[in-house]
Amino acid sequence: MKLVILGVGGMGAISLSKILARVAINKNLTVKSTEIHGMAKKGGLVEIYMKIGEGASPYIPQKEADFCIVLERLYYDYALNLVKSPEGIILLKDDDKVKILKEFGDIRFANSFILGKFFKKQNIFDRKDAVGVLSAFKMPDKNIKAFYEGVK
Amino acid sequence: MKLFLSGNEAIAFGLVEAGVRFISGYPGTPSSEILPTAIELKRKYKINAYFEWSVNEKSAMEEVTAASYANIKSAVTFKQVGLNVAMDPFMNTAIVGTPGGLVVVSADDPGPHSSQTEQDSRFLAFFAKIPVLDPSTPKEAYEFSKDAVNLSREFEIPVMLRTTTRISHSREDIETGEFNFKDDTAVNFNKNTDRFAATPHFRYLLHKTLNEKIEKIRQKNDFKEYFDGDFLIITSGVSFAYICDIVEEYNLEGVVKVIKFDMPYPINFDNLQKKIGGHSNILVIEESYPVIEMQVKNRENVSGRLNGFVPNEGELTLDVIKELFFKCGIIKERKEKSIVAPPFKRPSLCPGCGHRSAFYAIKKVFKNKAIYTGDIGCYTLGLNLKAVDTVHCMGASVSFAFGFDKSFSTFGSKMPVVATIGDSTFFHSGITPLVNAIHNRASFLLVILDNATVAMTGNQKTPQDKTDSYNNTANAVGIENVVKGVGVEFVETEDAYNIDSVTDILSKAKEYILKSSKPAVVILKHPCVYTKEGLKENIRFEKVFVDKDMCEGCKVCIDNFECPSLIFKDSVVEIDRSTCINCGQCVVSCPLGAIKVKE
Ligand code: SF4
Ligand code: SF4
């Protein structure tokens, strides 16, 4: 599976990629990623390419990604150039953010939420694979709840 | 245990597992995460080791060389331009050899993404006559680090591990060994002046020994073969991984044969020549410079960088390699598509960064009537405030100020020159040219932007810090003492946030340098707001806002202050609440007083 994550510096795109990697490793799949750091520190775009269960390099040419998780609306149009079809885009909407803040009190739960949204679309992992990884987290109950909120 | 490690983390794991117990280095993208990972391993597994940053790459290289003389397995890490700084000891360490073993990790940055040059460290291994390993994935980076330690130990020769941005900053699932970091370290220095203090007269003997070592390694150095077609491709490093991806995508298993060198120098020429003899189409694809290609004896049927087939600049991305395959007929059809770049955002100093306030004050005093020599660090972005005219290499702000001052005062008339340098860069390479300026009577203003950290590369500690990387006591070196100690008389220190007072000091410094024959130094302190502590302690108001009725949309604030949180929208300026840290520094930049604070 070829996956791209787009976020801005400090938004947790990298931790999201690490969660996904853990899920893949637990399932005995190979996983590779590459972070295009750019000027992420200065609030710029963070672009992460991931290949799960395939490939020698983590690089994904444009229009070849199966999925693209977009954590910042601003990059939606750019994401269209990365995926095979627009169906593959998973966007964290502004209303989602408001909802997460209201329900969970911290925007960082957006990661588990968007993970849920992604799990609904893909077909190589089972939901329990993600729950297993999330239960090792600091606030497992809230993270798992946010995950299922995303799956909905 | 399977871990998801970046190339840089993998290198640290490999080195430490193979018994390396002395690591020094200087931060620089993309190499900066190697040493902190080793530091973390030392802390976590209570390893008896010396892993710590040094003041610059030359010192680091010398420190680890001595450690290897003392029979300790050692390593040094830096980015490719750091190797330039370390070049003097590097060359001689090769000649003398390294009894305890020494791995030189040099991280290249083809592109370049965050460097001055696209140079290929493998070339410098070639130049120094030491072997170099070139991993194609983080997994190989892990394996090759261990191989490098063992090879170095066996032949008493420094071994280079060359990584690139794409390897250092990629991650992969890696099966690491069990963490019983067993220790075979035994410190011991066998004095031998013929070797460790040889006079020039006997140096050729050491050179001869080096030649013998590298010949032995050359004989052992074999390549690996993949796939089985007629078209021969010779490669190493990250390009190999890209080539494998393309072979898979286009089913080229029967079209190409790939020869991969784990060690691109020294190459066993004769074996390679035998292999390529029967092929009429040969392509050499390697990231950066034609290092393998230049070692091919008969290049009659060879295409690569030397005949201009492979571009001689820029990163060799998967897309570029695909295009090359198309150009030479390996791929018949290419999926037509143009590459779209992501929305561009000009890099800028962080909102609330003290450097911005400093540059603003400098510009206010010196206007467009000075030459501004800049340096390497976040403050290179003083470019945006038009307060940086040159950026060259570490410490060059000071020596460039010297050169400009002497040129204008000797061949024209006195020209004010303002140099800006960060605290860590000053310690790295700024002190020596300042000594020269004092001795040879140059006068310019040197502004040391002191944010108490190496901000650009991930906030490592500087020699000014009271603690080391383990939060143990360290001796803090004061910049002011250093500057006064070498003989600077005009020395003032102020918080960069006090723009009015800074402006006064800078005006006095300007008067001073125009009539004096010594440089003036102004130290502008303000903690980096990108660190948690810096941000927490930062002065802040409840809210900083633009009074919509007063703002005339002239954009003077954006042009002169350029905080990225100031944005122009619907013909007025407003403040981006999601990034503004309410520092209030921008207030002075509005001539109409439209930027206001709520206490
Ligand atoms: S990281 Fe620190 S020093 Fe660098 S621009 Fe940001 S605030 Fe300034
Ligand atoms: S208060 Fe002004 S200078 Fe400070 S971060 Fe906000 S917009 Fe930038």
Side-chain angles (χ1 to χ4, degrees), chain B residues 357-387:
Chain B
S357 307
F359 283 121
Y360 181 78
I362 292 171
K363 268 316 280 266
K364 215 169 136 190
V365 173
F366 288 85
K367 311 214 162 57
N368 293 329
K369 296 191 185 84
I371 294 175
Y372 296 105
T373 58
D375 224 304
I376 312 275
C378 289
Y379 43 85
T380 295
L381 294 171
L383 273 168
N384 295 349
L385 290 100
K386 299 184 185 61

Side-chain angles (χ1 to χ4, degrees), chain A:
Chain A
M1 181 201 297
K2 299 187 183 72
L3 166 76
V4 181
I5 305 173
L6 301 179
V8 290
M11 260 196 53
I14 293 179
S15 24
L16 181 60
S17 73
K18 288 186 184 166
I19 300 175
L20 271 164
R22 214 355 96 193
V23 176
I25 289 174
N26 290 353
K27 257 202 127 60
N28 257 326
L29 291 166
T30 62
V31 51
K32 299 177 176 60
S33 78
T34 180
E35 294 150 23
I36 315 266
H37 280 278
M39 278 285 179
K41 185 168 185 179
K42 316 256 181 262
L45 166 68
V46 180
E47 209 172 343
I48 300 174
Y49 294 176
M50 289 188 93
K51 279 187 192 157
I52 298 174
E54 61 172 279
S57 86
Y59 182 76
I60 303 169
Q62 295 196 346
K63 296 262 182 232
E64 305 267 319
D66 300 300
F67 299 101
C68 182
I69 297 177
V70 185
L71 299 172
E72 185 56 57
R73 243 226 97 77
L74 175 67
Y75 297 117
Y76 183 85
D77 288 345
Y78 174 57
L80 288 171
N81 302 297
L82 305 181
V83 284
K84 284 182 191 150
S85 107
E87 315 281 274
I89 297 183
I90 299 127
L91 173 70
L92 182 66
K93 296 197 198 100
D94 292 338
D95 335 343
D96 293 337
K97 290 187 194 170
V98 176
K99 198 166 87 185
I100 291 159
L101 256 179
K102 227 171 86 193
E103 244 177 78
F104 298 94
D106 194 329
I107 192 68
R108 275 175 297 179
F109 291 99
N111 264 346
S112 303
F113 173 84
I114 200 82
L115 190 69
K117 263 186 132 173
F118 164 69
F119 262 65
K120 199 165 70 177
K121 284 210 171 175
Q122 55 76 48
N123 53 18
I124 60 172
F125 301 119
D126 301 330
R127 288 171 196 181
K128 65 173 189 323
D129 297 336
V131 173
V133 171
L134 292 177
S135 27
F137 272 48
K138 261 197 194 127
M139 282 174 276
D141 300 349
K142 272 190 164 181
N143 272 303
I144 292 167
K145 193 165 165 237
F147 173 78
Y148 277 113
E149 200 65 42
V151 176
K152 250 200 251 166

Side-chain angles (χ1 to χ4, degrees), chain B residues 7-8 10-12 15 30-31 34 75-81 83 90 102-113 115 117-126 130-149 151 158-169 234-242 260-266 284-293 295 305 310-317 321:
Chain B
N8 280 347
I11 291 169
L15 293 174
S31 73
I34 302 169
V76 63
T77 80
F78 35 60
K79 68 184 295 179
Q80 89 285 41
V81 292
L83 175 57
F90 173 72
L102 168 61
V103 179
V104 177
V105 185
S106 187
D108 288 351
D109 184 28
H113 298 272
S115 310
T117 70
E118 292 193 284
Q119 67 192 66
D120 188 330
S121 297
R122 300 177 308 160
F123 229 88
L124 296 177
F126 191 154
I130 65 162
V132 53
L133 298 173
D134 193 12
S136 65
T137 58
K139 217 173 257 169
E140 277 192 356
Y142 173 65
E143 294 302 337
F144 289 8
S145 308
K146 294 193 270 189
D147 296 345
V149 177
L151 184 67
V159 175
M160 181 185 285
L161 181 76
R162 180 258 202 158
T163 168
T164 59
T165 307
R166 292 296 170 228
I167 302 297
S168 285
H169 289 171
I234 305 173
T235 188
S236 83
V238 67
S239 308
F240 172 72
Y242 293 154
K260 176 198 190 256
F261 282 95
D262 292 349
M263 192 193 290
Y265 176 83
V284 186
I285 295 192
E286 53 186 326
E287 187 58 284
S288 308
Y289 286 16
V291 173
I292 300 177
E293 196 179 343
Q295 296 175 80
R305 295 195 195 256
V310 176
N312 273 295
E313 59 284 311
E315 189 180 355
L316 219 47
T317 61
I321 298 176

Side-chain angles (χ1 to χ4, degrees), chain B residues 16 56 76 128 198 209 225 232 260 297-298 328 330 369 376 386 429-430 472 560 567 574:
Chain B
V16 177
N56 66 28
V76 63
T209 312
E225 290 178 49
L232 192 69
K260 176 198 190 256
K297 270 190 176 167
N298 179 352
C328 64
I330 298 175
K369 296 191 185 84
I376 312 275
K386 299 184 185 61
S429 289
N472 296 326
N560 293 348
I567 42 184
E574 63 175 54

